[in-house]
Amino acid sequence: MAVDLSLEWLGMRMASPLYNASGVMCRTREELDAVAGSAAGALITKSCTLTPREGNPEPRYHATALGSINSMGLPNEGYPYYFDYAQQFDYRKPLFVSVSGMSLEDNLFMLADLRDRHLPCLPEINLSCPNLPGKPQLAYDFAATAEALEKISQVYPGAFGVKLPPYFDPVHFAQMAALLNRFEGLRFVTCINSVGNGLLIDLASETTLISPKGGLGGLGGDYVLPTALANVREFARLMPDKHVIGCGGIKSGAEAFMHILCGATAVQIGTCLHEEGVGAFARIQHELAELMAQKGYQCLADFRGRLKTL
């Protein structure tokens, strides 16, 4: 049976629902070109700030058998680097630019420039960076998030998305969904950013695995899959007129299938991509197609959002 992995959303066509999570294979032009030339259906840049940043001190990333921990601190080349890349982008795939200013004013400045340059990309505004010392995640402050989205909507008239941190309480799912539903231009949410401020220890040396923030960092990989799936399912259920992009714990076709079953339009791959490289896209795509064929599904819409409950 032929299986079709393509999808169309927000006027874009993707041959595959898979692409990179912001933060992985996206800091330099060479990394972005590698993703663009792979089996990925789209690509997204590193979260950018007004000016280049080196990020937190090394070691700031460590892989484990169950995933990863990181405290990168937004290392990036500065927003003009990524906007110039978008200006010259000639691949036939959707391009997303992740925006993560150090303040709301920074974000408004970058989005105004993006608006004026009419670039062939969509912004994903990062409301959830957990790895900046002294900077709380904006999306855990609902009033501040509402204020930010009001101002963003005034400055940027096009479609945009936001990247959210994980939420853990049904009340918070409902409150954030109601807030996001108020903004017509907000067309998609990415769930989730890493589970912030975890701690992993090397037993032999009795030390933390990373250096910044006393060893605290964002968790990815297997550690976060159940939390990611819950966030995707709840936001897809509570925001039927918006798209949800699943992110967290995808290392095979099985996890990609689960995210889509929970309602994800497309899925981003982080830790697995960091460890395996861009070959992960073709492998996971093949596994997803095989799983769909085994279950008798011909396209993603056949099972998207159709999770059964007991």
Side-chain angles (χ1 to χ4, degrees):
M1 181 180 67
V3 170
D4 181 8
L5 292 180
S6 68
L7 63 149
E8 293 189 11
W9 62 295
L10 302 185
M12 305 177 296
R13 187 182 189 280
M14 292 171 58
S16 160
L18 312 177
Y19 62 113
N20 64 310
S22 181
V24 185
M25 292 290 296
C26 61
R27 180 175 177 180
T28 66
R29 176 181 297 272
E30 291 74 23
E31 291 176 338
L32 289 164
D33 283 346
V35 175
S38 75
L43 65 157
I44 187 169
T45 70
K46 175 67 180 172
S47 292
C48 60
T49 51
L50 274 185
T51 57
R53 286 177 55 89
E54 287 299 318
N56 292 339
E58 302 278 2
R60 58 193 185 188
Y61 173 92
H62 198 288
T64 74
L66 292 176
S68 64
I69 185 169
N70 85 87
S71 182
M72 303 301 289
L74 289 179
N76 75 96
E77 304 302 316
Y79 89 94
Y81 181 94
Y82 302 104
F83 284 16
D84 289 346
Y85 181 85
Q87 187 81 59
Q88 301 160 14
F89 187 70
D90 59 0
Y91 290 91
R92 297 182 183 274
K93 295 181 178 181
L95 171 66
F96 299 85
V97 172
S98 178
V99 175
S100 187
M102 304 300 287
S103 67
L104 174 58
E105 289 70 26
D106 287 358
N107 279 339
L108 297 176
F109 182 90
M110 290 186 280
L111 289 168
D113 193 13
L114 184 63
R115 174 201 65 204
D116 294 342
R117 292 177 64 168
H118 303 288
L119 298 177
C121 61
L122 281 179
E124 178 188 273
I125 302 161
N126 187 353
L127 302 180
S128 55
C129 181
N131 299 319
L132 291 176
K135 290 277 186 179
Q137 296 189 52
L138 180 66
Y140 284 148
D141 184 331
F142 289 10
T145 297
E147 178 186 0
L149 291 174
E150 291 279 3
K151 293 182 177 178
I152 286 167
S153 297
Q154 293 167 11
V155 166
Y156 190 79
F160 67 93
V162 294
K163 188 165 188 179
L164 296 177
Y167 296 94
F168 304 96
D169 191 291
V171 172
H172 295 153
F173 287 129
Q175 289 176 341
M176 180 52 71
L179 190 164
L180 298 176
N181 278 328
R182 288 162 39 194
F183 298 95
E184 190 173 326
L186 196 163
R187 301 299 306 281
F188 68 95
V189 298
T190 301
C191 302
I192 56 172
N193 209 326
S194 56
V195 174
N197 299 307
L199 179 65
L200 293 175
I201 295 169
D202 179 82
L203 189 59
S205 64
E206 302 177 14
T207 63
T208 61
L209 293 185
I210 58 173
S211 171
K213 295 175 64 178
L216 299 184
L219 299 177
D222 291 353
Y223 295 114
V224 308
L225 177 63
T227 299
L229 292 175
N231 278 257
V232 169
R233 199 277 295 270
E234 287 304 288
F235 282 111
R237 183 178 66 83
L238 294 166
M239 300 190 304
D241 295 327
K242 301 188 188 298
H243 295 276
V244 176
I245 308 304
C247 183
I250 298 166
K251 63 179 182 181
S252 73
E255 295 84 26
F257 183 95
M258 291 181 207
H259 272 267
I260 297 167
L261 186 67
C262 285
T265 294
V267 296
Q268 297 177 352
I269 301 172
T271 296
C272 175
L273 177 61
H274 189 284
E275 296 304 308
E276 186 175 338
V278 294
F281 291 117
R283 176 183 62 78
I284 295 172
Q285 180 177 307
H286 177 71
E287 293 169 356
L288 175 59
E290 280 195 328
L291 181 58
M292 288 171 58
Q294 290 169 13
K295 289 176 170 289
Y297 295 129
Q298 292 183 289
C299 66
L300 300 173
D302 286 346
F303 66 96
R304 179 182 290 115
R306 299 192 179 184
L307 177 68
K308 305 179 188 75
T309 57
L310 301 178

